[in-house]
Amino acid sequence: MDAEFWLAKWKRNETGFHALHPHPALVTYFSGLCAVRGGCVFVPLCGKSLDIHWLLKNNYRVIGVELSHLAVEQLFAELGIHPVISHLPAGVVVFEGVNIRVFVADIFALTPDMLGPVDIVYDRAALVALPAPMAARYARHLTQLTKCADQFLVCVEYDQERLSGPPFAVMAQDVERYYAQDYTIASIDRSPVANGIKGKEPGYEHIWFLHSVEKKV
Ligand SMILES: C[S@@+](CC[C@H](N)C(=O)[O-])C[C@H]1O[C@@H](n2cnc3c(N)ncnc32)[C@H](O)[C@@H]1O
């Protein structure tokens, strides 16, 4: 899954992953788990997710990163925010508005200095968007980038032998392998995906909360 794959998806408007409502688990659980009221939420691989609308409406500050310029333009248009746009080295573009900053960039190009402090990560359809070797690299990078900020993580579980991703299956043992070194891992909810994964395969959506063991990264 290289950059071209995702840029082409946005260009062709093939955005079946874009949910038409905020994620129910975000609405139900997030505020109870986020230790900082009105804190700064990092949304990796953010697309133009309506979860961002929900976070802003609920008085969180949001920092996102997204490869597609088109997606970020649409995000700000749909939020009704006129962005201030600036340019950083290495071709990174930044869209900013009140309480929101989105980097148009490959997440692997971001550094902790560029990102600044965040209180929590909201990962929906980010880890699961990446094939296993890249997912492992992403998990390490995300942990370092956010200095081990707590994470609210939405995964999908299904038989990967029977269907190809994205979304890729991220099973409980994968979450353990990626994150147990730096986090205590709590299962928050696990429920069957209505109509199955891509309408084909039975699967589950599993919500995790990763609490930083200590800020050691
Ligand atoms: C499956 S979509 C999920 C989008 C969003 N999280 C949502 O819930 O609607 C994955 C998104 O990640 C973006 N993306 C993929 N690889 C990326 C990378 N390396 N850095 C930044 N964004 C990336 C894609 O352009 C796409 O918008």
Side-chain angles (χ1 to χ4, degrees), residues 6 10 17 45-47 49 66-67 105-107 124-125 129:
W6 292 107
W10 280 102
F17 51 79
L45 283 60
C46 63
S49 169
E66 166 56 49
L67 269 177
D106 184 332
I107 190 171
R124 186 256 159 188

Side-chain angles (χ1 to χ4, degrees), residues 21-214:
H21 48 76
H23 196 287
L26 172 74
V27 176
T28 306
Y29 299 114
F30 190 81
S31 294
L33 291 167
C34 181
V36 184
R37 223 197 181 94
C40 182
V41 184
F42 180 47
V43 185
L45 283 60
C46 63
K48 57 168 189 171
S49 169
L50 296 191
D51 297 340
I52 293 176
H53 295 234
W54 186 92
L55 288 164
L56 291 172
K57 276 196 193 113
N58 285 274
N59 301 318
Y60 293 98
R61 288 166 290 131
V62 171
I63 302 180
V65 61
E66 166 56 49
L67 269 177
S68 165
H69 201 278
L70 203 53
V72 180
E73 278 176 355
Q74 290 178 18
L75 170 68
F76 276 75
E78 289 170 16
L79 283 168
I81 298 177
H82 189 72
V84 174
I85 299 175
S86 55
H87 296 261
L88 299 179
V92 174
V93 178
V94 187
F95 279 53
E96 281 184 272
V98 175
N99 290 331
I100 181 166
R101 177 154 46 105
V102 179
F103 295 93
V104 183
D106 184 332
I107 190 171
F108 295 107
L110 289 191
T111 64
D113 280 351
M114 287 161 88
L115 184 67
V118 299
D119 296 304
I120 189 165
V121 175
Y122 175 74
D123 178 331
R124 186 256 159 188
L127 179 64
V128 301
L130 306 171
M134 200 186 281
R137 183 175 162 227
Y138 161 87
R140 280 195 304 277
H141 180 66
L142 185 61
T143 304
Q144 287 173 345
L145 188 62
T146 64
K147 302 198 163 84
C148 218
D150 289 352
Q151 287 197 43
F152 188 98
L153 171 62
V154 181
C155 291
V156 287
E157 301 176 344
Y158 65 93
D159 183 351
Q160 190 72 87
E161 299 289 309
R162 296 176 55 85
L163 198 66
S164 57
F168 295 94
V170 176
M171 311 304 279
Q173 61 269 26
D174 301 318
V175 176
E176 183 84 12
R177 187 157 41 86
Y178 295 145
Y179 289 121
Q181 196 187 333
D182 298 302
Y183 294 95
T184 55
I185 299 172
S187 169
I188 301 301
D189 196 3
R190 185 174 183 268
S191 50
V193 174
N195 305 319
I197 309 287
K198 297 185 186 174
K200 290 183 186 154
E201 262 305 297
Y204 288 85
E205 200 166 52
H206 203 150
I207 314 298
W208 301 95
F209 182 65
L210 314 184
H211 182 57
S212 171
V213 174
E214 51 176 326

